[in-house]
Amino acid sequence: MDTTTSVSSARDSAQRITSELAQVIVGQDEIVKRLVASLFSNGHCLLIGVPGLAKTLLVQSIAEVLGISFKRIQFTPDLMPSDIIGSEVIHEGAGRLEFQYRPGPVFTNLLLADEINRTPPKTQSALLEAMQERKVTVAGENRVLPNPFLVIATQNPIEQEGTYPLPEAQLDRFMFSLDLSYPSPEEEMEIVKRTTIGAGKTLSSVITGDDLIAIQQLIRAMPVADKVIAEAVALTASTRPKEGTPAETTQQYIEWGAGPRASQYLILGAKAFALMEGRAAPERQDVLAAATSVLSHRIVTNYRATGEGLTSSDVIAALLAERK
């Protein structure tokens, strides 16, 4: 299969995925697009939104459409690392007691970490090795996770009492951070109709796990012009107030900027956006399109931004406006 055919096939796959999801997910078109882009890029994703915005339904529906296995973990204050990665249990066999490994829910293709900030750091960190290395270590033995392995985590932005904010090292493992907004009145009417009249729709698998892996490999193989890479690197560097000549927005509102992983994810995200539109190589506008989702959780805003009620996404939007 030549590159042109592969790009066309990947674009068609993205269109089939979004069309199938539209049967159960009302609105949130941009969120769906970015979620699909992160999965195509083999990147993990963080969803931030108030309860009732169908975050769980969205993730479960994506697993059904992709034809991959799915598991959900409800993070709570008493959750233990072994509840995620599994543990060894005593088993009686052949007339003697022996340890037998019982895999945890992390052994799946798509893992939903629901309200990940409601569990202590020790348990949160159990996901770190899995997300980065695609393996876990139990009793000194490495166990490889299925391929593909992707994590989508959710957070509730309005309830912070009794929560454990994710450390920067763990936030950096997520390719995208996506903010879900309330539906429009028209969309909310459609949601009510779909969920209170008749039976829910059954989704069909439109691609397979092997198809997804092939798309991920294609994205890695896509060429990128040096000027596009330079744009990603310059954009990331512009968030660092203590390096070079920072932008005015950076000087005013950012305490710490993004690291090199942001540049990597800007390029991967740009590749995914280009591929989903049937283009064989990303352009500058693709990098800028990925910027807010890649950078918003990788910067630390200062007291002035807090005082003016600006979120990290607001600051990145202002920074992008300066660069245009």
Side-chain angles (χ1 to χ4, degrees), residues 21 31 60 130 132 136 139 157 218 283 311:
L21 287 173
I31 295 295
Q60 188 170 8
Q132 182 65 23
V136 297
L218 176 59
E283 301 173 2
T311 66

Side-chain angles (χ1 to χ4, degrees), residues 150-162:
L150 300 155
V151 174
I152 299 179
T154 69
Q155 283 192 166
N156 177 358
I158 59 174
E159 268 184 67
Q160 298 302 321
E161 185 175 350

Side-chain angles (χ1 to χ4, degrees), residues 34-237:
R34 291 173 182 271
L35 262 178
V36 173
S38 70
L39 299 180
F40 278 8
S41 305
N42 201 20
H44 310 295
C45 201
L46 181 64
L47 288 178
I48 301 175
V50 299
L53 295 183
K55 297 186 292 294
T56 302
L57 175 63
L58 173 58
V59 180
Q60 188 170 8
S61 298
I62 285 178
E64 293 178 18
V65 170
L66 296 181
I68 56 179
S69 60
F70 166 79
K71 290 182 181 176
R72 172 179 177 268
I73 303 175
Q74 180 65 52
F75 280 72
T76 57
D78 60 348
L79 197 73
M80 300 293 291
S82 59
D83 296 324
I84 298 174
I85 63 175
S87 60
E88 288 192 324
V89 296
I90 297 178
H91 173 73
E92 184 175 358
R96 62 189 181 89
L97 296 178
E98 55 187 21
F99 284 102
Q100 184 179 63
Y101 176 66
R102 181 172 295 172
V106 75
F107 285 86
T108 188
N109 294 131
L110 182 59
L111 177 68
L112 173 59
D114 218 350
E115 295 192 286
I116 191 173
N117 59 329
R118 293 207 171 277
T119 201
K122 181 178 181 180
T123 304
Q124 291 174 356
S125 66
L127 273 179
L128 278 175
E129 182 187 16
M131 293 172 65
Q132 182 65 23
E133 306 295 337
R134 261 72 177 186
K135 67 179 182 180
V136 297
T137 303
V138 180
E141 183 176 346
N142 290 331
R143 303 179 187 274
V144 179
L145 297 173
N147 186 29
F149 171 72
L150 300 155
V151 174
I152 299 179
T154 69
Q155 283 192 166
N156 177 358
I158 59 174
E159 268 184 67
Q160 298 302 321
E161 185 175 350
T163 62
Y164 304 85
L166 292 177
E168 281 69 21
Q170 189 160 343
L171 282 173
D172 202 39
R173 297 297 192 273
F174 291 99
M175 177 178 177
F176 284 166
S177 176
L178 305 177
D179 292 318
L180 276 75
S181 59
Y182 288 109
S184 66
E186 295 77 16
E187 291 171 343
E188 193 160 352
M189 284 186 66
E190 181 62 24
I191 291 171
V192 173
K193 289 178 182 179
R194 291 191 186 187
T195 55
T196 61
I197 301 174
K201 290 186 177 292
T202 301
L203 296 177
S204 300
S205 172
V206 297
I207 69 171
T208 66
D210 289 339
D211 293 331
L212 178 58
I213 293 172
I215 292 173
Q216 292 172 346
Q217 293 171 344
L218 176 59
I219 283 181
R220 287 285 178 174
M222 287 173 66
V224 187
D226 285 349
K227 65 179 182 179
V228 177
I229 296 177
E231 176 66 26
V233 171
L235 180 55
T236 300

Side-chain angles (χ1 to χ4, degrees), residues 237-251 319 322:
S238 71
T239 67
R240 301 166 185 164
K242 300 178 182 179
E243 290 189 15
T245 306
E248 181 180 349
T249 297
T250 300
Q251 295 179 28
L319 188 60
E322 284 187 37

